[in-house]
Amino acid sequence: MAVGKTWRTDAHHRRFVASYSGGKDSSLALHLAMQTGEAVGLIVMLEEKGERSRSHGMPPELIAAQAESIGLPVLSAAATWDDYEEAFVQLLGRAKELGAEALVTGDLDMPEEGCWHDKVTKLAGLELGMPLWRMDHRRCVENFIELGFIAVVVTINLTLGMTEADLGRSMTREFVDELVGRGIDPCGEGGEFHTTVLDGPIFRKQVPVRRLAIVRDGDYTFLPLELDEAAWRQ
């Protein structure tokens, strides 16, 4: 009988680099991986101009503050979608030079065949660890909340049940109950929403932010955050 993938445990007792979006799933995966292994850095992909993160649209200053609070260096690259894979593999190579033996990601629903992260880790000669893989979505976000993480909703898709009033809301049990009641995946795995994490067990101190004016772009609405530099340096 064929043996299934062991991605949930393949980063155990290894040095690893984490693919980090700054959101709840990648933060929870990083926390879990740090219980059994040693993190050497965070990979953050930026859009082609280098002004925002590719996944959650976060400014580099806010990403740097998250990384500083976590106590890990950032390995980043600006890339278009056309050269994204090449740039990502190059960052994996840099992580390997720092001693990484595995890549950790916060993915829940990757297929066993055709998984992009499996492809790029093999190209770089690394193992793949996905601590959240195949975890029940509600249990995943409840675990995140129970551990004391603080995260706010910063991006929503208006066609998938979210409303502008959801922007800026914190991930709490009450909000999770409400999302489920509205027929929305509480992890946002269908692209319903994205979050930014500001504090939690992997953070040395909370990252202070200012909320900027809401931005609307077709089906999507965004709550831009910027680092409150004065409060951060106190």
Side-chain angles (χ1 to χ4, degrees):
M1 184 175 66
V3 177
K5 302 290 186 181
T6 54
W7 289 329
R8 288 188 69 171
T9 58
D10 280 350
H12 284 193
H13 310 298
R14 287 189 167 102
R15 302 185 78 195
F16 67 88
V17 65
S19 180
Y20 194 66
S21 70
K24 60 179 178 50
D25 295 338
S26 63
S27 295
L28 178 58
L30 174 60
H31 170 76
L32 295 177
M34 290 172 74
Q35 306 310 299
T36 63
E38 178 187 352
V40 301
L42 305 173
I43 286 181
V44 179
M45 295 298 293
L46 306 175
E47 46 77 40
E48 52 264 38
K49 294 182 180 179
E51 298 173 351
R52 297 276 170 177
S53 64
R54 173 63 72 179
S55 54
H56 287 203
M58 292 170 52
E61 297 79 14
L62 183 51
I63 296 166
Q66 286 179 312
E68 183 179 336
S69 186
I70 295 169
L72 291 172
V74 173
L75 308 179
S76 66
T80 66
W81 286 120
D82 289 337
D83 59 7
Y84 185 97
E85 182 173 303
E86 180 182 357
F88 195 92
V89 172
Q90 288 178 353
L91 291 181
L92 291 179
R94 287 174 54 191
K96 193 172 181 180
E97 291 174 358
L98 295 175
E101 303 166 273
L103 168 70
V104 165
T105 82
D107 296 291
L108 283 83
D109 298 331
M110 286 292 108
E112 288 202 34
E113 301 301 327
C115 172
W116 183 81
H117 286 105
D118 188 40
K119 172 187 176 182
V120 294
T121 49
K122 286 176 178 175
L123 287 173
L126 298 175
E127 298 293 328
L128 174 60
M130 295 193 291
L132 312 184
W133 189 49
R134 293 184 170 173
M135 185 181 291
D136 175 79
H137 290 194
R138 181 162 187 160
R139 182 63 199 132
C140 179
V141 71
E142 287 178 344
N143 188 12
F144 175 84
I145 294 166
E146 289 166 2
L147 286 166
F149 281 102
I150 296 174
V152 296
V153 175
V154 293
T155 303
I156 59 167
N157 185 323
L158 295 169
T159 69
L160 298 175
M162 303 295 288
T163 70
E164 194 168 297
D166 294 318
L167 284 173
R169 294 188 65 176
S170 297
M171 295 304 300
T172 63
R173 283 186 172 275
E174 293 75 19
F175 188 40
V176 168
D177 289 341
E178 182 182 324
L179 289 173
V180 172
R182 287 158 55 184
I184 296 169
D185 183 336
C187 274
E189 283 299 291
E192 297 91 339
F193 64 93
H194 292 302
T195 61
T196 292
V197 176
L198 303 177
D199 204 358
I202 58 175
F203 287 73
R204 295 171 180 173
K205 65 176 183 176
Q206 184 165 339
V207 178
V209 295
R210 286 188 291 265
R211 300 183 181 194
L212 305 182
I214 289 173
V215 176
R216 301 170 183 86
D217 184 8
D219 295 336
Y220 293 90
T221 307
F222 309 89
L223 175 65
L225 302 178
E226 69 175 10
L227 180 68
D228 185 336
E229 289 277 3
W232 175 242
R233 295 305 172 192
Q234 286 181 352

